[in-house]
Amino acid sequence: QVQVVESGGGLVQPGGSLRLSCSASGSIAIINTMAWYRQAPGKERELVAGITRGGSEEYADSVKGRFTISRDNAKNTVYLQMNSLKPEDTAVYYCNMGVRRSVFASREDYWGQGTQVTVSS
């Protein structure tokens, strides 16, 4: 089994910053990709940012220049530094881990439980 746990959400004023963390534990050989998604009320879940094991990054256009994704492979942890937050960033943020439970196993996707980020004055 693989467990994925997020932390770091909360309430912040517009223009403020938050840092999300997500760690995976359990039967893990390799984590290929780590990513953050978000889902606002009445909207579909969307990719916010992703990072490969080698460090290649991808961002949604709406967060480029404001959010930074990073990872610590030794700790099986991914971070999302969110700066210059806007009310439209309000959503539940979910962590996704692309895990191989052994070297030759197929990749499996695991999700965290979600953490609420609210940007409001």
Side-chain angles (χ1 to χ4, degrees):
Q1 269 292 47
V2 175
Q3 296 78 42
V4 179
V5 179
E6 302 136 338
S7 62
L11 173 64
V12 63
Q13 292 187 342
S17 297
L18 280 176
R19 189 191 195 209
L20 305 183
S21 300
C22 174
S23 295
S25 61
S27 179
I28 298 170
I30 301 169
I31 303 179
N32 291 113
T33 58
M34 299 180 176
W36 290 95
Y37 289 74
R38 67 186 180 188
Q39 187 166 20
K43 295 188 176 181
E44 294 186 354
R45 189 173 297 190
E46 63 174 355
L47 175 69
V48 177
I51 186 168
T52 67
R53 185 169 181 83
S56 296
E57 302 169 15
E58 179 177 329
Y59 295 93
D61 288 342
S62 59
V63 306
K64 284 180 181 176
R66 301 187 297 122
F67 291 10
T68 302
I69 190 169
S70 60
R71 64 187 283 172
D72 184 332
N73 291 329
K75 295 181 179 180
N76 289 339
T77 298
V78 62
Y79 306 96
L80 186 68
Q81 178 66 44
M82 304 185 293
N83 299 328
S84 303
L85 282 160
K86 304 175 181 180
E88 50 263 44
D89 294 318
T90 296
V92 178
Y93 284 69
Y94 296 92
C95 173
N96 173 271
M97 299 281 197
V99 174
R100 294 186 186 274
R101 297 176 66 182
S102 66
V103 173
F104 297 105
S106 299
R107 168 190 155 149
E108 301 173 4
D109 281 312
Y110 291 89
W111 293 88
Q113 78 285 359
T115 184
Q116 177 70 46
V117 171
T118 302
V119 184
S120 175
S121 55

